[in-house]
Amino acid sequence: MIPIGKYPTTRLRRNRHDDWNRRLVAEHKLSADDFILPVFVIEGDAKREPVSSMPGVDRVSVDLLVETAGEAAALGIPAIAIFPEVDPALKTPDAREACNSGNLVCRAIKAVKTAHPQIGIVCDAALDPFNSDGHDGIVRDGYVVNDESVEILCRQSVVQAQAGCDVIAPSDMMDGRVGAIRKALDQSGFEHVRIMSYAAKYASAFYGPFRDAIGSKSALKGDKKTYQMDPANTDEAIREVAQDLDEGADMVMVKPGMPYLDIVYRVKETFGVPTIVYQVSGEYASLKGAVQNGWLENDKVVLESLMAFKRAGADGILTYMAIEAAKLLKNS
Ligand code: PBG
């Protein structure tokens, strides 16, 4: 054991005595540079709809999304992640709208890139917003088929890159998709487009409010346990991350966040690569619901919940609280 001193010559409370001293010895720092803001986009003009299970989060039309992106950029937030709520009439079993270069997400990418070229844009590679089954891949005889889904994800990724997306984030958990998407992007001249892989993505009940927000909950048949990970597993997360890195992932993600801090820690310790964590919709809803009831203090839990990710080893955090946290950090 490292000699760290004994009481009473050593009193660990001394370094906690003053604010300046606490700041001086703080081991981790949270900053706006750590955040990616997930945003929900809808059709229309000057349209804003609250997401009932996520107090403070709205789905907005492209024009308002551009404003939000501008606000995020001004606060120093490096990137946004765009999620579309697709018209149910456009959802089909083959999710063909995912590969339509004029779809809502591509129009949103173009509008944000034109207005705010300095902010990074992240988009999922996954079919759930476009699929009438609500699944991330194509369903055949009740099973989400792997290789056929990967082919469509490759086309979706290229279409999004053509629209100006900087980072493709495969969130589908199909096997082999990172390598296939890397190849497809490179063959189309997008070798600079990054892949942030949802590498260790668990079949979690904490995604409920997100599925409300993009309207995939009512569409979803069954659950996602045949492709997303079992919450009981840790070693498997390491294998998933290793495989995605082998296939060319630039950044890897652990999701959800707070209930999976052990996975964040182990991934960062094992691989030492850019590690991103997603503070998902259900985590947001739990904290904000308690705040609304007066059971938790908003500003303190916002910052403490995000600091926990830094302590566990995360380099970046997808969080619906990015704008409010960036403002709090600016004023602190
Ligand atoms: C879709 C996707 C999901 C989330 C991000 N991308 C939901 C799911 O897999 O069902 C969840 C985000 C959140 O809950 O905040 N593949």
Side-chain angles (χ1 to χ4, degrees), residues 1 4 14-15 40 48 67 78 89 91 108 153 182 187-188 194 204-205 217 248 267 276 284 295 308 321:
M1 172 123 172
I4 49 164
R14 266 187 218 122
N15 276 334
F40 299 116
R48 179 180 293 281
E67 284 176 20
K91 298 188 186 191
L153 294 166
R182 183 68 274 158
Q187 281 173 349
S188 307
R194 281 127 280 186
S204 170
K217 191 187 246 165
V267 165
I276 312 295
Y284 178 90
W295 297 337
M321 306 170 177

Side-chain angles (χ1 to χ4, degrees), residues 83 124 126 128 136 171-172 198 201 206-208 210-211 224 228 255 278-282 320:
F83 296 99
D124 267 25
D128 52 322
D136 295 18
S171 74
D172 54 289
Y198 289 68
K201 177 172 178 179
F206 283 91
Y207 308 149
F210 173 96
R211 293 178 192 165
K224 300 192 176 183
Q228 298 180 348
K255 179 186 171 195
Y278 200 141
Q279 183 183 51
V280 301
S281 56
Y320 300 96

Side-chain angles (χ1 to χ4, degrees), residues 36 120 144 156 165 199 264 300:
I36 299 172
V144 175
Q156 178 188 30
C165 179
V264 177
K300 289 179 182 161

Side-chain angles (χ1 to χ4, degrees), residues 169-208:
S171 74
D172 54 289
M173 290 300 280
M174 298 300 114
D175 287 320
R177 88 281 207 214
V178 171
I181 290 172
R182 183 68 274 158
K183 201 167 146 204
L185 289 171
D186 289 354
Q187 281 173 349
S188 307
F190 294 113
E191 68 280 345
H192 57 277
V193 169
R194 281 127 280 186
I195 296 181
M196 177 193 289
S197 138
Y198 289 68
K201 177 172 178 179
Y202 287 84
S204 170
F206 283 91
Y207 308 149

Side-chain angles (χ1 to χ4, degrees), residues 19 25 31 35 56 59 91 102 106 123 150 185 187 224 241 252 312 328 330:
D19 178 63
V25 302
S31 101
F35 303 148
R59 307 178 192 91
K91 298 188 186 191
C106 290
C123 289
V150 170
L185 289 171
Q187 281 173 349
K224 300 192 176 183
V241 170
V252 292
L328 289 171
K330 208 168 145 188

Side-chain angles (χ1 to χ4, degrees), residues 65-66 69 80 82 108-117 119 121:
L65 175 66
V66 168
I80 60 170
I82 304 176
I109 296 167
K110 280 184 199 147
V112 172
K113 261 291 134 180
T114 307
H116 306 292
I119 197 160
I121 300 185

